[in-house]
Amino acid sequence: MAGPLKTIALLGATGSIGGSTLDVVARHPDRFRVGALSANGRVDELLRLCARFRPDAAVVADESAWPALCDGLAALGLPTRALAGAAALDEVAADPANDTVVAAIVGAAGVASTLAAARAGKRLLLANKESVVLAGDLLLQAAREGGATILPVDSEHNAIYQCLPADGGRQGVRRLLLTASGGPFRGRRRAELEGVTPDQACAHPNWSMGRKISVDSATLMNKGLEVIEARHLFGLPASRIEVVVHPQSVIHSLVDYVDGSVLAQLGNPDMRTALAYGLAWPERIDSGVAPLDLAALARFDFEKPDLAAFPCLGLAYRALEAGGAAPAVLNAANEVAVSAFLQGKLGFLGIPDLIQACLDAHPGGPADSLEQLLETDAEARRLAGDLIARMRRP
Ligand code: NAD
Ligand code: MG
């Protein structure tokens, strides 16, 4: 039997991870109900989800969308409470009525609600990797103090979580090996990346994802953010976290032990596996993902990442080694750069150039409080905005 119903707060419900989460939730009405759904400003999409999942609360982060949300809920005849603004995200993340929080907002915009869920002792399904990059130490501390269970759902970290010793220790672990698909431009040299378009960058060979993480995958910054994420979640130094390119995206990551054993988690590239794992842990439930057909796959390939063509991965290691708030500078500069690239205001090669210039110009500084980190985040965004005018145009 499934046990008592779990009530889920899904932050970032209208996104790619949001949709995959609801797909799994809908398969198990005996296990899960939806307590809260949030979106940035896409009210129509949020209302469609409210009509289907009947949450207790619906949140729009953009306060100007609140009247439309109220009207829409009334028109549907739903008793769902309509909330708006960043504080409302924190409120539903900490609400005692919700036992599970899925952190699926994109970017640093998710950090406060992720921390609120950790502080409130939730089962926290962590997709919002930028919040770990920005405030990893604070997040882990909040989870310890609040008694939260962090279940990584980024596929690589979910794989590592599954392959680490069951007692939660690190005994005998030599290295973590994060796999990277290499993205849509794998195999190209730097000169061949000049002039690539946002649509080309977002055409990922294996995964269907939001546009920001798709660009991050194309620059390899996604893997850089994931190295920093792994450092916080698993407590191993950067020197013991390596990246290997595996174009098929079937081996989601590996743990290398001192006796020579290497444990891997495999599966079709579909986020529903990691989400089902997090939702039901320590049990296993059907996720809707097709069984793996190894004979049809026939082969697995591996190669080293090309740091000359894709400098973002090296920049992430640099920020991790610098420590303090340097990862916050890296993350903010990357968010500004990716947004400018998607708007046609910065070329693809301008992304690493801008991030490097920000890391060169901003010392980072201490990372002791969220206020301090958000201040650094804002400074780095201003700096990136100033520098962008001088960078490579598409
Ligand atoms: P997405 O762009 O598809 O969805 C983002 C969600 O965040 C939407 O619901 C949007 O309304 C909300 N949002 C955007 N800006 C916001 C703001 N300022 N305030 C509040 N809400 C806001 O993104 P996604 O691909 O679902 O990714 C979500 C997170 O999960 C990212 O951190 C990403 O790195 C991580 N992740 C995604 C995948 C994937 O397969 N898509 C895999 C691993 C990790
Ligand atoms: Mg990932």
Side-chain angles (χ1 to χ4, degrees):
M1 267 318 292
L5 266 185
K6 288 200 195 94
T7 304
I8 318 285
L10 173 54
L11 307 181
T14 51
S16 164
I17 291 287
S20 296
T21 305
L22 290 172
D23 183 281
V24 177
V25 164
R27 289 167 193 275
H28 301 280
D30 56 328
R31 286 177 180 266
F32 309 118
R33 61 179 295 275
V34 177
L37 295 173
S38 91
N40 191 19
R42 281 164 58 189
V43 173
D44 290 351
E45 180 67 8
L46 183 59
L47 286 169
R48 202 179 58 73
L49 297 176
C50 287
R52 178 156 177 225
F53 291 96
R54 310 181 69 85
D56 305 319
V59 185
V60 277
D62 175 0
E63 295 186 21
S64 71
W66 187 69
L69 178 62
C70 294
D71 293 350
L73 289 171
L76 289 167
L78 291 173
T80 302
R81 284 189 301 144
L83 304 170
L89 290 173
D90 300 359
E91 183 188 325
V92 295
D95 189 335
N98 303 318
D99 32 61
T100 299
V101 174
V102 183
I105 290 174
V106 62
V111 71
S113 52
T114 303
L115 278 168
R119 238 179 263 120
K122 304 301 181 188
R123 169 186 295 239
L124 175 55
L125 273 65
L126 189 57
N128 176 226
K129 67 189 81 182
E130 296 91 347
S131 66
V132 190
V133 172
L134 181 69
D137 289 339
L138 295 177
L139 177 62
L140 272 281
Q141 188 191 343
R144 265 194 312 275
E145 289 172 5
T149 305
I150 295 182
L151 293 162
V153 295
D154 206 349
S155 58
E156 296 75 5
H157 307 75
N158 186 259
I160 288 168
Y161 190 88
Q162 295 195 43
C163 295
L164 281 172
D167 65 6
R170 302 287 172 266
Q171 201 279 320
V173 173
R174 180 159 47 200
R175 291 178 304 167
L176 307 180
L177 297 168
L178 292 179
T179 51
S181 69
F185 305 135
R186 183 178 60 85
R188 292 202 198 184
R189 283 166 298 141
R190 183 175 160 88
E192 295 168 316
L193 295 169
E194 183 88 61
V196 300
T197 65
D199 283 345
Q200 288 169 330
C202 289
H204 197 278
N206 306 329
W207 299 95
S208 155
M209 311 180 285
R211 280 171 86 75
K212 192 265 177 179
I213 184 176
S214 295
V215 176
D216 286 346
S217 298
T219 61
L220 284 200
M221 181 53 93
N222 184 48
K223 216 46 56 181
L225 298 177
E226 290 182 356
V227 168
I228 301 174
E229 184 184 7
R231 198 260 166 277
H232 287 292
L233 293 180
F234 304 122
L236 292 179
S239 58
R240 289 165 65 194
I241 305 172
E242 292 176 26
V243 172
V244 61
V245 174
H246 162 50
Q248 288 87 2
S249 297
V250 167
I251 301 177
H252 296 313
S253 277
L254 316 90
V255 177
D256 176 20
Y257 286 87
V258 288
D259 63 0
S261 298
V262 179
L263 302 194
Q265 186 257 1
L266 283 69
N268 285 314
D270 187 319
M271 290 306 294
R272 290 177 301 175
T273 296
L275 289 160
Y277 181 90
L279 286 168
W281 178 90
E283 295 179 23
R284 300 265 184 181
I285 56 171
D286 173 38
S287 65
V289 175
L292 194 59
D293 184 343
L294 286 171
L297 280 163
R299 57 180 285 176
F300 288 155
D301 296 297
F302 303 98
E303 56 195 59
K304 284 195 165 155
D306 179 350
L307 295 180
F310 303 99
C312 284
L313 179 55
L315 291 171
Y317 272 103
R318 172 182 157 186
L320 181 54
E321 271 146 35
V329 174
L330 174 94
N331 181 65
N334 182 55
E335 288 195 33
V336 172
V338 170
S339 160
F341 170 68
L342 286 171
Q343 294 170 54
K345 294 178 185 162
L346 183 70
F348 187 77
L349 294 176
I351 298 174
D353 290 352
L354 180 65
I355 298 164
Q356 180 163 358
C358 287
L359 286 174
D360 289 344
H362 196 296
D368 300 331
S369 69
L370 184 60
E371 293 67 33
Q372 218 164 36
L373 285 164
L374 291 177
E375 178 67 32
T376 302
D377 172 88
E379 282 165 15
R381 280 169 203 267
R382 277 196 297 276
L383 175 65
D386 293 344
L387 288 169
I388 226 162
R390 289 185 252 150
M391 312 275 353
R392 199 187 297 257
R393 298 235 142 214

